[in-house]
Amino acid sequence: MSTLPPTQKGRNDQRTMLLEVCFDDAAGLARAHTARVARFEVCARLDLDGLTPDDQLLHAAVATGVPCVAMVRPRGGAHVWRTDEYAALFADLERVRAFGTHAVVLGALTPEHCVDRALTAALVHAAHPLPVVFHRAFDATPDRFEALETLVELGVARILTSGGARDAFAGRHELRALVERAAGRIAILPGGGVRAHNAAEILRVTGLAELHSSTAFELGGAT
């Protein structure tokens, strides 16, 4: 299985706590870099829950030397992809790979909101050797344990999730259950409404050491 980029030494705290921050413009990149965030998720249009970033922003993010995860999502809306959209999806994947990104984040569901096995398998294969992160489309699945097992089987490296709740704090106990079910076979990354005031409790309940947020803050100070 592909490995995820390690936390950069000296960023966040000394106990390998890691904060990943997403942004969709140069100002967000500057804030995250100034805050010494350990990992970036680079997107466009966060108002649409994130689209594939433009070349300029991705190039600037990768040039900082901070591990970068690039969104692969050519359009907003549902995570059910029509066959006539596959070309754009795979083209975006190849484009972000060419910029030296460290991982890609994507999601594909069936009309029944289950993980789209065939398409996800093809995307994991196309991304290799880059790790693949399955984004919060996971939270729409009717059986998250079943979805987790599918993603493990397909070789996905990490799941970004709120535990199916409105945010990661509300879903912290479900996140803990997912961590226990994963048993180290796939990483669970809490995301959705993560802020300095609730980070410590999310980490405490889940037993995790990584969080995802759209806001940069000092993670060590939250624990």
Side-chain angles (χ1 to χ4, degrees), residues 7-8 10-18 218-221 223:
T7 306
Q8 289 196 338
R11 303 182 80 93
N12 293 329
D13 77 7
Q14 291 76 30
R15 297 190 302 115
T16 69
M17 308 300 287
L18 185 150
E218 181 55 48
L219 186 56
T223 60

Side-chain angles (χ1 to χ4, degrees), residues 1 4 156-161 182 184-189 208 210:
M1 182 179 292
L4 295 163
V156 170
R158 182 166 66 232
I159 302 170
L160 174 62
T161 173
R185 296 173 298 155
I186 191 169
I188 303 297
L189 180 63
L208 293 169
E210 298 190 7

Side-chain angles (χ1 to χ4, degrees), residues 1-6 102-103 129-132 157-158:
M1 182 179 292
S2 300
T3 56
L4 295 163
H102 299 82
L130 294 184
V132 170
R158 182 166 66 232

Side-chain angles (χ1 to χ4, degrees), residues 71-192:
M71 177 68 76
V72 175
R73 189 171 175 234
R75 60 152 175 81
H79 302 292
V80 179
W81 299 94
R82 303 188 310 271
T83 53
D84 63 351
E85 296 177 311
Y86 287 7
L89 190 60
F90 283 90
D92 276 8
L93 175 55
E94 287 305 310
R95 179 165 61 83
V96 300
R97 278 170 54 91
F99 279 89
T101 187
H102 299 82
V104 294
V105 54
L106 49 84
L109 301 178
T110 67
E112 296 75 32
H113 303 293
C114 296
V115 173
D116 186 326
R117 281 177 167 271
L119 180 53
T120 302
L123 289 164
V124 170
H125 178 76
H128 183 77
L130 294 184
V132 170
V133 183
F134 202 89
H135 58 49
R136 288 188 61 195
F138 176 84
D139 291 326
T141 59
D143 185 331
R144 284 180 288 279
F145 281 1
E146 179 180 327
L148 183 150
E149 295 297 339
T150 298
L151 295 174
V152 169
E153 179 185 336
L154 295 176
V156 170
R158 182 166 66 232
I159 302 170
L160 174 62
T161 173
S162 65
R166 66 181 182 276
D167 56 51
F169 181 78
R172 62 195 183 280
H173 296 290
E174 174 68 10
L175 286 165
R176 177 66 186 185
L178 289 167
V179 170
E180 292 174 353
R181 180 63 175 253
R185 296 173 298 155
I186 191 169
I188 303 297
L189 180 63

